[in-house]
Amino acid sequence: GAVVSQHPSWVICKSGTSVKIECRSLDFQATTMFWYRQFPKQSLMLMATSNEGSKATYEQGVEKDKFLINHASLTLSTLTVTSAHPEDSSFYICSAKAGGQFEQYFGPGTRLTVT
Amino acid sequence: DAKTTQPTSMDCAEGRAANLPCNHSTISGNEYVYWYRQIHSQGPQYIIHGLKNNETNEMASLIITEDRKSSTLILPHATLRDTAVYYCIGTASGAGSYQLTFGKGTKLSVIP
């Protein structure tokens, strides 16, 4: 089956610094990638949708200048949390979908802790 | 996306069939029913999807009522590794990108 990886799997950073999370589709070309955030004991919340080569579309309430998304190739998307604060601590999960396919494949997630 | 309603939690004995219901009474004609599951601290895993007909794959079976207002995910022989939160999602799938809106899901506990 299709495999999506994320790096790093967990990261601890200090308040005010920026953190970059990578999402890669390992065995297929992902025309669309999605970024989700999940707080403890809550469901996944979609943050943004990105199509390769285009600007990401952000969900209402998600600051695009704080959560920078780049989808420069068909196998890689990055999420950069800029000027991170403790309230940004969460589980960040990406997913990827190939063009013309139904299934959306998820990465294993990245646990971000901002101290 | 269609609004879905699922029980908060369910228990199932190991080796028995787990039947997880989902109500999606507002689903429209072009919306598929998708099922994903999330094991603790992992990314969601695709299970199965369907439009009108019942579907079966190596993981599960999906039974959709004729009026498409509800469906049931069936894990034929539940194992301890099937303990997870199961999400039923109704969404349109077209030529372009589509989005999944996750609800609270059903927490399935498989009991030894």
Side-chain angles (χ1 to χ4, degrees):
Chain A
V3 179
V4 175
S5 70
Q6 281 185 241
H7 178 80
S9 55
W10 60 270
V11 57
I12 302 173
C13 72
K14 292 186 177 181
S15 185
T17 62
S18 295
V19 174
K20 179 183 285 188
I21 302 170
E22 292 186 349
C23 176
R24 293 181 185 272
S25 57
L26 299 185
D27 51 2
F28 68 101
Q29 293 187 324
T31 54
T32 306
M33 286 187 167
F34 305 84
W35 286 95
Y36 296 82
R37 179 168 54 180
Q38 186 175 34
F39 292 108
K41 297 187 178 181
Q42 294 187 23
S43 190
L44 285 79
M45 295 295 294
L46 179 66
M47 298 176 67
T49 302
S50 72
N51 292 299
E52 185 264 338
S54 302
K55 288 185 177 180
T57 301
Y58 291 80
E59 294 300 299
Q60 192 172 7
V62 178
E63 301 174 55
K64 62 180 181 181
D65 294 331
K66 181 171 181 61
F67 299 99
L68 303 179
I69 293 172
N70 183 284
H71 189 174
S73 79
L74 286 172
T75 59
L76 173 65
S77 176
T78 60
L79 167 68
T80 301
V81 183
T82 63
S83 187
H85 289 97
E87 56 265 31
D88 298 322
S89 297
S90 187
F91 192 48
Y92 290 87
I93 307 169
C94 73
S95 70
K97 185 182 94 67
Q101 301 297 314
F102 290 121
E103 295 86 354
Q104 199 175 122
Y105 297 97
F106 286 80
T110 296
R111 175 99 32 213
L112 170 64
T113 301
V114 184
T115 61
Chain B
D1 292 350
K3 177 178 168 54
T4 61
T5 304
Q6 299 177 253
T8 303
S9 63
M10 292 180 65
D11 291 342
C12 177
E14 187 179 17
R16 304 296 293 269
N19 297 280
L20 292 91
C22 178
N23 182 289
H24 35 78
S25 57
T26 61
I27 197 168
S28 61
N30 67 339
E31 288 185 309
Y32 287 74
V33 179
Y34 285 81
W35 283 84
Y36 282 79
R37 72 179 182 184
Q38 186 179 26
I39 296 170
H40 183 63
S41 294
Q42 296 183 24
Q45 177 188 21
Y46 165 81
I47 300 174
I48 199 167
H49 76 277
L51 183 62
K52 294 181 182 178
N53 300 321
N54 298 336
E55 302 287 345
T56 295
N57 62 20
E58 64 277 6
M59 289 184 69
S61 295
L62 174 60
I63 308 298
I64 302 174
T65 58
E66 193 170 342
D67 62 9
R68 301 212 325 124
K69 292 183 183 298
S70 65
S71 62
T72 301
L73 178 74
I74 302 173
L75 306 179
H77 305 287
T79 70
L80 298 179
R81 287 180 293 180
D82 293 322
T83 293
V85 178
Y86 287 76
Y87 298 98
C88 167
I89 303 167
T91 188
S93 180
S97 63
Y98 70 99
Q99 298 175 348
L100 299 174
T101 302
F102 286 81
K104 296 184 177 180
T106 296
K107 184 175 182 179
L108 175 68
S109 298
V110 181
I111 311 297

